[in-house]
Each structure stands twice: as C-alpha cells, then as structure tokens.
C-alpha cells in the first residue's frame, strides 16, 4: 500500500463506503485514528495506523495474486515435502503472501500450474461442477489404435469402480515406438492422464500441461512465472474452453 494516503481514500479502499460518503463519516466524527477522533479531511494515514469507524476496526482488503508457473519436472506441488524435495513455491519469490496451487501436477509432470492466495477462486475453478478443461500433451509408448482413441474418448476404467468422464483426444505425432497425444480432461483424479493411457496399454513417457480453460502456457520458460492477465482470470472463472 502507498505509505501515506488520505483517510477518506483508505476508507474507500477498505470498502467502508464511497470516497464521498467516507468524507461524510469523517466530518460526522465517526472515524478515529489510533484512538483519536479525526474530523480533518486531509489527514494522512498508513497501514500501521489503527483506523476505526464507529469503534470498529477497518482492515484493507488483501491484495490478490493470480500467477501462472511453468513447473519443471522434479518439483512437488505441496508446501512441504516429507522427502525435502524442492517445491513449486520455491520457484515463486517476491510475493508477500502465502500462495496455494489450484490443483496439482505430479513430481514428474511439467507445465501450467496456477498459484493464488484467493481461496474463493481456487474453490470455484477446482469444483467438479465447473468442469474446467485441462489440456495435456503426453509422449506415450507405441501408437494408439482407433479403438484406444475411442476408449479414451468415451471413458476408461482406471481403478475399481472408477470410469473416467469423456475426454477429447488428438494424436499430434505418431511413430511406431512413441506418439505425442493431446488429451483434454475436466476431472482431476490422482495421476489421471497416466492411468488413462495405462488403461489402454500405453506408458506415459513425458507429460506436460499446456492449458487450463483457454489459458495457455505459451512460451513462458520452464521454472518461470508471471502474473495472469485480467482476461485470463476471467476465462478461468468461466471454466470451459471456448474453442
Ligand atoms: N495427470 C497425471 O497423470 N499427472 C499429472 O500431473 C496431471 C494429470
């Protein structure tokens, strides 16, 4: 926050009232700064001052962060790892609040991971009803048959009683020993993509998440992060791919 801001601006930033209505609160002697009623409109305050309206402390809303990280292989998506392996949070410095990841990527998966301190946002886009589409590029062993593709598309059994929801599948490159496949799912079960390919008899050799909804990792270098743009945040809140 700016160091010294006018009291009425502080009240407006804290969503107490509009700037104009906040001025009126001050003039009406309803606002105190560090225990003293203030009626002077020009009064400057900072974050360390205790501001009260009608005796109730006013807090500034916390700044919200929405970050995309290009996770490399070799990092866990937890705050602390029992084996002391590096975590994705080690890669995001200079953020003055605790971040959480929206979903997870395995230790051996790379690509798009979203980090935020906005719990409501996390809940919304992780909730199954939101059906947020996640796009993966998988290098797999062998080549997929038409039947494999149809099975992956309609749903495969990855454990007892668990059949995956319909997925979108596109073979991008195919050779006898290995293929590059794009797969889009909206569920987020543990090691889901790997288990889906295993269910049709192929091993995942490399896995990368390239998009969530329409938000793409693009050419962000591995291990680097950037703030999401407003349009990207809104796209995630909408959920489904609009392609
Ligand atoms: N599916 C997987 O198998 N692993 C991931 O990290 C993400 C999706």
């Amino acid at each position: 926050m700016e160091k010294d801001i006018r009291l009425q601006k502080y009240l407006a930033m804290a969503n107490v009232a509009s700037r104009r209505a906040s001025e009126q609160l001050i003039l009406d002697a309803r606002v105190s700064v560090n225990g003293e009623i203030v009626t002077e409109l020009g009064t400057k305050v900072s974050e360390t001052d205790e501001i009260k309206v009608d005796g109730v402390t006013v807090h500034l809303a916390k700044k919200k962060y929405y970050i995309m990280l290009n996770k490399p292989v070799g990092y866990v998506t937890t705050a602390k790892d029992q084996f002391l392996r590096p975590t994705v949070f080690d890669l995001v410095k200079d953020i003055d609040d605790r971040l959480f990841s929206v979903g997870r990527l395995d230790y051996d998966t790379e690509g798009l991971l979203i980090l935020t301190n906005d719990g409501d946002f996390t809940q919304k886009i992780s909730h199954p009803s939101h059906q947020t589409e996640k796009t993966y590029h998988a290098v797999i062993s062998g080549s997929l048959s038409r039947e494999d593709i149809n099975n992956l598309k309609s749903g495969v059994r990855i454990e007892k009683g668990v059949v995956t929801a319909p997925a979108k599948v596109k073979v991008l490159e195919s050779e006898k020993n290995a293929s590059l496949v794009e797969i889009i799912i909206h569920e987020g079960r543990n090691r889901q993509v790997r288990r889906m390919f295993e269910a049709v008899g192929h091993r995942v050799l490399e896995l990368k998440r390239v998009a969530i909804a329409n938000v793409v990792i693009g050419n962000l270098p591995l291990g680097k992060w950037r703030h999401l743009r407003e349009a990207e945040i809104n796209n995630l809140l909408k959920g489904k791919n609009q392609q």
Side-chain angles (χ1 to χ4, degrees):
M1 173 188 147
E2 296 155 54
K3 258 229 135 53
D4 289 307
I5 61 168
R6 291 159 76 84
L7 183 53
Q8 57 269 38
K9 183 173 178 192
Y10 182 101
L11 295 176
M13 281 166 65
N15 297 321
V16 170
S18 68
R19 186 86 66 95
R20 182 67 62 80
S22 297
E23 287 177 359
Q24 198 55 52
L25 289 172
I26 297 167
L27 294 171
D28 292 344
R30 293 171 61 186
V31 182
S32 68
V33 178
N34 300 326
E36 300 265 331
I37 293 284
V38 166
T39 52
E40 186 71 49
L41 287 181
T43 305
K44 298 271 181 81
V45 293
S46 75
E47 228 169 350
T48 51
D49 291 317
E50 187 178 33
I51 322 274
K52 292 187 178 178
V53 175
D54 296 334
V56 178
T57 304
V58 169
H59 297 283
L60 279 185
K62 265 205 301 184
K63 181 166 168 39
K64 301 269 171 60
Y65 295 104
Y66 306 91
I67 282 169
M68 72 151 69
L69 169 72
N70 191 355
K71 176 197 174 297
V73 167
Y75 287 79
V76 290
T77 316
T78 42
K80 266 210 183 116
D81 181 51
Q82 54 169 326
F83 305 112
L84 301 176
R85 292 174 295 185
T87 86
V88 293
F89 301 102
D90 297 334
L91 296 167
V92 183
K93 299 272 157 60
D94 309 327
I95 297 292
D96 60 4
D97 199 8
R98 182 149 179 224
L99 297 174
F100 301 90
S101 73
V102 180
R104 288 183 180 194
L105 289 178
D106 300 333
Y107 181 75
D108 42 0
T109 302
E110 68 176 50
L112 176 58
L113 193 64
I114 288 168
L115 307 173
T116 180
N117 61 346
D118 183 344
D120 293 338
F121 174 84
T122 307
Q123 282 233 317
K124 180 146 195 223
I125 67 174
S126 315
H127 197 273
S129 66
H130 202 51
Q131 303 221 334
T132 306
E133 291 192 327
K134 286 150 285 194
T135 305
Y136 295 88
H137 284 178
V139 178
I140 61 161
S141 61
S143 54
L144 292 176
S145 66
R146 183 101 326 258
E147 192 188 357
D148 293 338
I149 295 174
N150 287 339
N151 286 341
L152 287 167
K153 280 184 175 171
S154 54
V156 288
R157 185 176 174 278
I158 54 171
E159 65 186 69
K160 196 161 174 239
V162 177
V163 174
T164 56
K168 296 175 189 166
V169 180
K170 195 156 80 181
V171 177
L172 301 177
E173 285 171 36
S174 186
E175 284 173 20
K176 194 161 156 277
N177 294 329
S179 311
L180 176 62
V181 182
E182 180 174 277
I183 180 161
I184 304 178
I185 59 173
H186 58 75
E187 297 171 297
R189 299 180 191 280
N190 188 30
R191 295 179 81 79
Q192 177 160 342
V193 171
R194 291 170 203 278
R195 291 195 290 159
M196 287 176 76
F197 282 107
E198 270 160 31
V200 293
H202 298 268
R203 223 155 37 84
V204 170
L205 308 174
E206 286 170 34
L207 186 60
K208 175 174 184 149
R209 181 154 68 193
V210 295
I212 302 178
N214 279 4
V215 176
V216 297
I217 194 70
N219 52 14
L220 184 67
L222 260 186
K224 298 287 182 212
W225 63 272
R226 69 164 172 83
H227 293 285
L228 290 179
R229 303 182 186 102
E230 184 107 15
E232 292 174 324
I233 297 168
N234 290 335
N235 181 263
L236 289 167
L237 286 168
K238 277 201 218 122
K240 284 194 147 190
N241 258 331
Q242 276 90 54
Q243 288 157 12

